[in-house]
Amino acid sequence: MVDQLSKIVPVIMAGGRGTRLWPISRSSRPKQFLALAGQDSLFQETLQRVADSDRFAAPIIVTNDEYRFLVAEQAQEMGIELGAILLEPAARNTTAAILAAALYLKQQDEEDQLIYVLASDHKVKADAGYQDAVKLAANCAQDGALVTFGITPTEPATGYGYIKQGEGLANGGHKVAEFVEKPQLERAQEMLDAGGYYWNSGTFMMPRDGFVAECEQLAQETHAAVSDAVSKAASDLDFVRLDKESFEQAPDISVDYAIFEKTDRAVVVPSAFSWSDLGSWDAVWKVGEGDAGGNVARGEVTLSDTKNSLVYSDAGHVAVHGLENVAVVVSEDAVFVGNLNEAQRVGDIVKHLKGHEETQALTETHKTSYRPWGGYSSLVMGERFQVKRLFVKPGKQLSLQKHHHRAEHWVVVTGTAEVTVGDKVQMLGENQSVYIPQGEVHRLANPGKIMLELIEVQTGSYFGEDDIIRLEDEFGRS
């Protein structure tokens, strides 16, 4: 049994690609880092749910190299201190990710702890029902159980797996009788009518050492690989990099398959709070605030004679007339229009786009790309030129770099720029410009207190990101 006074350590999974909410969510900036159904991103909302320092320790985040600065910056925006950011060198599913966090915590503190495993891309209403479920799960985990949260179903959903509750326990939990794969509609309705079945939320509460022991017994290959990866991990700025060679030896398997379907310590806690994995646009519609016609609108939207629809615009004004039960989603460079009831088919569209060279980039990046220092938007591209809008956060700077295949012209639009070109450093204000010859060492910095915006015109024969030769970089990029 875990010491009753020990704090719960949140372990937040934040490495998913989230392409089922295309075209807004893409692999370079997936749904957990977007404000899809509120003012804050889903990741930030997850952090807020575990921000009670009397109850929870500083959270451990498991993500990948590509999202490391997004994680750090969004936590900083919320004023939430993180316990650690673990970087997976390869995607190996939830067993390896959770085990890495558990072993890292064990490395830091031999005394056992409770770990509370959360997905970073779920929408949860943290009401009294939620608090009661967390408390009950913690009590069960204190008694040695590996607890999964089972959400009380409100409809015969076919997009979720189900858990059948078994024998009731004195502490209020239930033994897990059965895990059910995502069912057909008829089977889902049967389970809803029968009662005792819950949606599998993919959220867990467990004694740290108990979970490690079960992995050692039931998932030996994963335990060996991840143990080695954690023991050989290296610190990099504010991040912990798991050893690549070792971690890649871990099987790609979910914790449901590897542990929960095999262990005799699995317990389900029935949970009646509002929950959605926001796995499709119809799920976003369901959690949104609808108008009198059942429409959920976000962005610059005008609706006319439209009912029970989702209209979401990230770029420009969208007007929809005379439609019902549709999803209209507009990003900077792509539009999705489809039947709301079939919104889960977006995944098939993304696979199709990935399979063609001319559309593959649409699944990966937006016209606006974000970097630790700010970001840029691609405005116009020709055969031998490209125009971008750059924005640099106050106090940030780009790497000291050069390019072999292009020259650059910078025009300051807003703010103050500190520009290094060769051995010369100069300050530029609004409407001032500078030329960076091809092959010249240069750097851009924002010494001011407001966002620096400028227009960059590139000219040359090649404009790929791999033509950036970094000589110095405060963010550890090569």
PDB file of all heavy atoms in Angstrom, residues 95-118:
ATOM      1  N   THR A  95       2.090   1.810 -23.363  1.00  0.00           N
ATOM      2  CA  THR A  95       2.803   1.015 -22.355  1.00  0.00           C
ATOM      3  C   THR A  95       4.197   1.574 -22.119  1.00  0.00           C
ATOM      4  O   THR A  95       4.611   1.828 -20.980  1.00  0.00           O
ATOM      5  CB  THR A  95       2.906  -0.460 -22.775  1.00  0.00           C
ATOM      6  OG1 THR A  95       1.622  -0.947 -23.122  1.00  0.00           O
ATOM      7  CG2 THR A  95       3.475  -1.304 -21.649  1.00  0.00           C
ATOM      8  N   ALA A  96       4.931   1.779 -23.191  1.00  0.00           N
ATOM      9  CA  ALA A  96       6.295   2.294 -23.071  1.00  0.00           C
ATOM     10  C   ALA A  96       6.311   3.707 -22.508  1.00  0.00           C
ATOM     11  O   ALA A  96       7.167   4.054 -21.685  1.00  0.00           O
ATOM     12  CB  ALA A  96       6.989   2.249 -24.431  1.00  0.00           C
ATOM     13  N   ALA A  97       5.370   4.543 -22.926  1.00  0.00           N
ATOM     14  CA  ALA A  97       5.346   5.931 -22.470  1.00  0.00           C
ATOM     15  C   ALA A  97       5.082   6.020 -20.964  1.00  0.00           C
ATOM     16  O   ALA A  97       5.779   6.732 -20.237  1.00  0.00           O
ATOM     17  CB  ALA A  97       4.280   6.709 -23.236  1.00  0.00           C
ATOM     18  N   ILE A  98       4.069   5.283 -20.489  1.00  0.00           N
ATOM     19  CA  ILE A  98       3.740   5.320 -19.064  1.00  0.00           C
ATOM     20  C   ILE A  98       4.863   4.704 -18.239  1.00  0.00           C
ATOM     21  O   ILE A  98       5.240   5.220 -17.177  1.00  0.00           O
ATOM     22  CB  ILE A  98       2.412   4.592 -18.799  1.00  0.00           C
ATOM     23  CG1 ILE A  98       1.267   5.272 -19.546  1.00  0.00           C
ATOM     24  CG2 ILE A  98       2.110   4.552 -17.299  1.00  0.00           C
ATOM     25  CD1 ILE A  98      -0.021   4.463 -19.565  1.00  0.00           C
ATOM     26  N   LEU A  99       5.411   3.602 -18.723  1.00  0.00           N
ATOM     27  CA  LEU A  99       6.494   2.935 -17.999  1.00  0.00           C
ATOM     28  C   LEU A  99       7.719   3.831 -17.904  1.00  0.00           C
ATOM     29  O   LEU A  99       8.394   3.870 -16.866  1.00  0.00           O
ATOM     30  CB  LEU A  99       6.846   1.609 -18.672  1.00  0.00           C
ATOM     31  CG  LEU A  99       7.962   0.795 -18.013  1.00  0.00           C
ATOM     32  CD1 LEU A  99       7.628   0.471 -16.561  1.00  0.00           C
ATOM     33  CD2 LEU A  99       8.224  -0.490 -18.801  1.00  0.00           C
ATOM     34  N   ALA A 100       8.020   4.580 -18.964  1.00  0.00           N
ATOM     35  CA  ALA A 100       9.163   5.501 -18.930  1.00  0.00           C
ATOM     36  C   ALA A 100       8.982   6.535 -17.827  1.00  0.00           C
ATOM     37  O   ALA A 100       9.914   6.838 -17.069  1.00  0.00           O
ATOM     38  CB  ALA A 100       9.329   6.186 -20.281  1.00  0.00           C
ATOM     39  N   ALA A 101       7.765   7.074 -17.712  1.00  0.00           N
ATOM     40  CA  ALA A 101       7.503   8.059 -16.668  1.00  0.00           C
ATOM     41  C   ALA A 101       7.618   7.426 -15.279  1.00  0.00           C
ATOM     42  O   ALA A 101       8.201   8.016 -14.357  1.00  0.00           O
ATOM     43  CB  ALA A 101       6.113   8.663 -16.860  1.00  0.00           C
ATOM     44  N   ALA A 102       7.073   6.220 -15.124  1.00  0.00           N
ATOM     45  CA  ALA A 102       7.130   5.542 -13.824  1.00  0.00           C
ATOM     46  C   ALA A 102       8.573   5.254 -13.415  1.00  0.00           C
ATOM     47  O   ALA A 102       8.961   5.465 -12.253  1.00  0.00           O
ATOM     48  CB  ALA A 102       6.324   4.250 -13.888  1.00  0.00           C
ATOM     49  N   LEU A 103       9.380   4.767 -14.342  1.00  0.00           N
ATOM     50  CA  LEU A 103      10.775   4.452 -14.032  1.00  0.00           C
ATOM     51  C   LEU A 103      11.592   5.713 -13.767  1.00  0.00           C
ATOM     52  O   LEU A 103      12.495   5.719 -12.930  1.00  0.00           O
ATOM     53  CB  LEU A 103      11.387   3.638 -15.171  1.00  0.00           C
ATOM     54  CG  LEU A 103      10.870   2.202 -15.305  1.00  0.00           C
ATOM     55  CD1 LEU A 103      11.379   1.561 -16.591  1.00  0.00           C
ATOM     56  CD2 LEU A 103      11.273   1.361 -14.093  1.00  0.00           C
ATOM     57  N   TYR A 104      11.283   6.777 -14.498  1.00  0.00           N
ATOM     58  CA  TYR A 104      11.971   8.050 -14.245  1.00  0.00           C
ATOM     59  C   TYR A 104      11.664   8.538 -12.825  1.00  0.00           C
ATOM     60  O   TYR A 104      12.566   8.972 -12.097  1.00  0.00           O
ATOM     61  CB  TYR A 104      11.542   9.097 -15.270  1.00  0.00           C
ATOM     62  CG  TYR A 104      12.056  10.482 -14.956  1.00  0.00           C
ATOM     63  CD1 TYR A 104      13.369  10.846 -15.272  1.00  0.00           C
ATOM     64  CD2 TYR A 104      11.256  11.423 -14.305  1.00  0.00           C
ATOM     65  CE1 TYR A 104      13.859  12.104 -14.958  1.00  0.00           C
ATOM     66  CE2 TYR A 104      11.730  12.674 -13.992  1.00  0.00           C
ATOM     67  CZ  TYR A 104      13.034  13.013 -14.316  1.00  0.00           C
ATOM     68  OH  TYR A 104      13.520  14.263 -14.005  1.00  0.00           O
ATOM     69  N   LEU A 105      10.387   8.456 -12.430  1.00  0.00           N
ATOM     70  CA  LEU A 105      10.009   8.874 -11.082  1.00  0.00           C
ATOM     71  C   LEU A 105      10.691   8.006 -10.019  1.00  0.00           C
ATOM     72  O   LEU A 105      11.134   8.511  -8.982  1.00  0.00           O
ATOM     73  CB  LEU A 105       8.487   8.795 -10.928  1.00  0.00           C
ATOM     74  CG  LEU A 105       7.688   9.891 -11.638  1.00  0.00           C
ATOM     75  CD1 LEU A 105       6.207   9.536 -11.688  1.00  0.00           C
ATOM     76  CD2 LEU A 105       7.888  11.236 -10.934  1.00  0.00           C
ATOM     77  N   LYS A 106      10.777   6.719 -10.280  1.00  0.00           N
ATOM     78  CA  LYS A 106      11.441   5.803  -9.345  1.00  0.00           C
ATOM     79  C   LYS A 106      12.925   6.137  -9.221  1.00  0.00           C
ATOM     80  O   LYS A 106      13.520   6.025  -8.143  1.00  0.00           O
ATOM     81  CB  LYS A 106      11.261   4.361  -9.820  1.00  0.00           C
ATOM     82  CG  LYS A 106      11.709   3.292  -8.819  1.00  0.00           C
ATOM     83  CD  LYS A 106      11.387   1.902  -9.340  1.00  0.00           C
ATOM     84  CE  LYS A 106      11.841   0.828  -8.375  1.00  0.00           C
ATOM     85  NZ  LYS A 106      11.078   0.849  -7.103  1.00  0.00           N
ATOM     86  N   GLN A 107      13.503   6.575 -10.324  1.00  0.00           N
ATOM     87  CA  GLN A 107      14.915   6.975 -10.336  1.00  0.00           C
ATOM     88  C   GLN A 107      15.130   8.223  -9.469  1.00  0.00           C
ATOM     89  O   GLN A 107      16.171   8.376  -8.828  1.00  0.00           O
ATOM     90  CB  GLN A 107      15.324   7.261 -11.788  1.00  0.00           C
ATOM     91  CG  GLN A 107      16.797   7.470 -12.034  1.00  0.00           C
ATOM     92  CD  GLN A 107      17.060   7.751 -13.505  1.00  0.00           C
ATOM     93  OE1 GLN A 107      16.760   8.827 -14.017  1.00  0.00           O
ATOM     94  NE2 GLN A 107      17.599   6.770 -14.206  1.00  0.00           N
ATOM     95  N   GLN A 108      14.099   9.094  -9.424  1.00  0.00           N
ATOM     96  CA  GLN A 108      14.214  10.338  -8.657  1.00  0.00           C
ATOM     97  C   GLN A 108      13.892  10.142  -7.180  1.00  0.00           C
ATOM     98  O   GLN A 108      14.401  10.867  -6.325  1.00  0.00           O
ATOM     99  CB  GLN A 108      13.270  11.397  -9.243  1.00  0.00           C
ATOM    100  CG  GLN A 108      13.451  11.677 -10.720  1.00  0.00           C
ATOM    101  CD  GLN A 108      14.851  12.096 -11.082  1.00  0.00           C
ATOM    102  OE1 GLN A 108      15.388  13.030 -10.492  1.00  0.00           O
ATOM    103  NE2 GLN A 108      15.463  11.402 -12.029  1.00  0.00           N
ATOM    104  N   ASP A 109      12.988   9.171  -6.887  1.00  0.00           N
ATOM    105  CA  ASP A 109      12.524   8.986  -5.517  1.00  0.00           C
ATOM    106  C   ASP A 109      12.148   7.521  -5.311  1.00  0.00           C
ATOM    107  O   ASP A 109      11.219   7.023  -5.941  1.00  0.00           O
ATOM    108  CB  ASP A 109      11.306   9.880  -5.256  1.00  0.00           C
ATOM    109  CG  ASP A 109      10.839   9.848  -3.800  1.00  0.00           C
ATOM    110  OD1 ASP A 109      11.372   9.032  -3.026  1.00  0.00           O
ATOM    111  OD2 ASP A 109       9.942  10.632  -3.458  1.00  0.00           O
ATOM    112  N   GLU A 110      12.853   6.845  -4.438  1.00  0.00           N
ATOM    113  CA  GLU A 110      12.605   5.414  -4.207  1.00  0.00           C
ATOM    114  C   GLU A 110      11.248   5.161  -3.546  1.00  0.00           C
ATOM    115  O   GLU A 110      10.670   4.097  -3.701  1.00  0.00           O
ATOM    116  CB  GLU A 110      13.721   4.829  -3.335  1.00  0.00           C
ATOM    117  CG  GLU A 110      15.011   4.537  -4.096  1.00  0.00           C
ATOM    118  CD  GLU A 110      14.828   3.468  -5.162  1.00  0.00           C
ATOM    119  OE1 GLU A 110      14.039   2.522  -4.935  1.00  0.00           O
ATOM    120  OE2 GLU A 110      15.457   3.580  -6.221  1.00  0.00           O
ATOM    121  N   GLU A 111      10.741   6.154  -2.803  1.00  0.00           N
ATOM    122  CA  GLU A 111       9.455   5.962  -2.133  1.00  0.00           C
ATOM    123  C   GLU A 111       8.336   5.887  -3.169  1.00  0.00           C
ATOM    124  O   GLU A 111       8.269   6.696  -4.100  1.00  0.00           O
ATOM    125  CB  GLU A 111       9.193   7.125  -1.177  1.00  0.00           C
ATOM    126  CG  GLU A 111       7.920   6.945  -0.352  1.00  0.00           C
ATOM    127  CD  GLU A 111       7.719   8.084   0.622  1.00  0.00           C
ATOM    128  OE1 GLU A 111       8.663   8.884   0.806  1.00  0.00           O
ATOM    129  OE2 GLU A 111       6.623   8.174   1.198  1.00  0.00           O
ATOM    130  N   ASP A 112       7.444   4.928  -3.000  1.00  0.00           N
ATOM    131  CA  ASP A 112       6.376   4.698  -3.963  1.00  0.00           C
ATOM    132  C   ASP A 112       5.448   5.916  -4.055  1.00  0.00           C
ATOM    133  O   ASP A 112       5.345   6.706  -3.114  1.00  0.00           O
ATOM    134  CB  ASP A 112       5.579   3.451  -3.584  1.00  0.00           C
ATOM    135  CG  ASP A 112       4.811   2.859  -4.760  1.00  0.00           C
ATOM    136  OD1 ASP A 112       4.899   3.420  -5.868  1.00  0.00           O
ATOM    137  OD2 ASP A 112       4.126   1.835  -4.567  1.00  0.00           O
ATOM    138  N   GLN A 113       4.796   6.051  -5.196  1.00  0.00           N
ATOM    139  CA  GLN A 113       3.880   7.166  -5.444  1.00  0.00           C
ATOM    140  C   GLN A 113       2.674   6.649  -6.219  1.00  0.00           C
ATOM    141  O   GLN A 113       2.722   5.576  -6.842  1.00  0.00           O
ATOM    142  CB  GLN A 113       4.583   8.244  -6.282  1.00  0.00           C
ATOM    143  CG  GLN A 113       5.839   8.822  -5.665  1.00  0.00           C
ATOM    144  CD  GLN A 113       6.765   9.415  -6.727  1.00  0.00           C
ATOM    145  OE1 GLN A 113       7.144   8.763  -7.680  1.00  0.00           O
ATOM    146  NE2 GLN A 113       7.117  10.678  -6.544  1.00  0.00           N
ATOM    147  N   LEU A 114       1.609   7.422  -6.209  1.00  0.00           N
ATOM    148  CA  LEU A 114       0.499   7.163  -7.121  1.00  0.00           C
ATOM    149  C   LEU A 114       0.733   7.957  -8.396  1.00  0.00           C
ATOM    150  O   LEU A 114       1.112   9.137  -8.339  1.00  0.00           O
ATOM    151  CB  LEU A 114      -0.834   7.601  -6.513  1.00  0.00           C
ATOM    152  CG  LEU A 114      -1.360   6.842  -5.302  1.00  0.00           C
ATOM    153  CD1 LEU A 114      -2.746   7.356  -4.935  1.00  0.00           C
ATOM    154  CD2 LEU A 114      -1.413   5.349  -5.572  1.00  0.00           C
ATOM    155  N   ILE A 115       0.517   7.332  -9.544  1.00  0.00           N
ATOM    156  CA  ILE A 115       0.607   8.056 -10.814  1.00  0.00           C
ATOM    157  C   ILE A 115      -0.787   8.116 -11.440  1.00  0.00           C
ATOM    158  O   ILE A 115      -1.526   7.139 -11.449  1.00  0.00           O
ATOM    159  CB  ILE A 115       1.630   7.428 -11.779  1.00  0.00           C
ATOM    160  CG1 ILE A 115       1.300   5.965 -12.091  1.00  0.00           C
ATOM    161  CG2 ILE A 115       3.036   7.560 -11.227  1.00  0.00           C
ATOM    162  CD1 ILE A 115       2.207   5.376 -13.185  1.00  0.00           C
ATOM    163  N   TYR A 116      -1.110   9.288 -11.919  1.00  0.00           N
ATOM    164  CA  TYR A 116      -2.418   9.563 -12.536  1.00  0.00           C
ATOM    165  C   TYR A 116      -2.155   9.853 -14.000  1.00  0.00           C
ATOM    166  O   TYR A 116      -1.630  10.907 -14.348  1.00  0.00           O
ATOM    167  CB  TYR A 116      -3.050  10.751 -11.821  1.00  0.00           C
ATOM    168  CG  TYR A 116      -4.375  11.230 -12.360  1.00  0.00           C
ATOM    169  CD1 TYR A 116      -5.263  10.386 -13.023  1.00  0.00           C
ATOM    170  CD2 TYR A 116      -4.762  12.560 -12.169  1.00  0.00           C
ATOM    171  CE1 TYR A 116      -6.477  10.847 -13.490  1.00  0.00           C
ATOM    172  CE2 TYR A 116      -5.986  13.029 -12.623  1.00  0.00           C
ATOM    173  CZ  TYR A 116      -6.832  12.173 -13.292  1.00  0.00           C
ATOM    174  OH  TYR A 116      -8.045  12.630 -13.758  1.00  0.00           O
ATOM    175  N   VAL A 117      -2.486   8.908 -14.864  1.00  0.00           N
ATOM    176  CA  VAL A 117      -2.150   8.990 -16.289  1.00  0.00           C
ATOM    177  C   VAL A 117      -3.310   9.614 -17.056  1.00  0.00           C
ATOM    178  O   VAL A 117      -4.437   9.103 -17.035  1.00  0.00           O
ATOM    179  CB  VAL A 117      -1.831   7.597 -16.859  1.00  0.00           C
ATOM    180  CG1 VAL A 117      -1.462   7.705 -18.337  1.00  0.00           C
ATOM    181  CG2 VAL A 117      -0.701   6.940 -16.061  1.00  0.00           C
ATOM    182  N   LEU A 118      -3.027  10.728 -17.734  1.00  0.00           N
ATOM    183  CA  LEU A 118      -4.047  11.448 -18.486  1.00  0.00           C
ATOM    184  C   LEU A 118      -3.608  11.655 -19.930  1.00  0.00           C
ATOM    185  O   LEU A 118      -2.420  11.879 -20.199  1.00  0.00           O
ATOM    186  CB  LEU A 118      -4.315  12.827 -17.878  1.00  0.00           C
ATOM    187  CG  LEU A 118      -4.640  12.965 -16.403  1.00  0.00           C
ATOM    188  CD1 LEU A 118      -3.374  13.235 -15.598  1.00  0.00           C
ATOM    189  CD2 LEU A 118      -5.626  14.110 -16.197  1.00  0.00           C
TER     190      LEU A 118
END
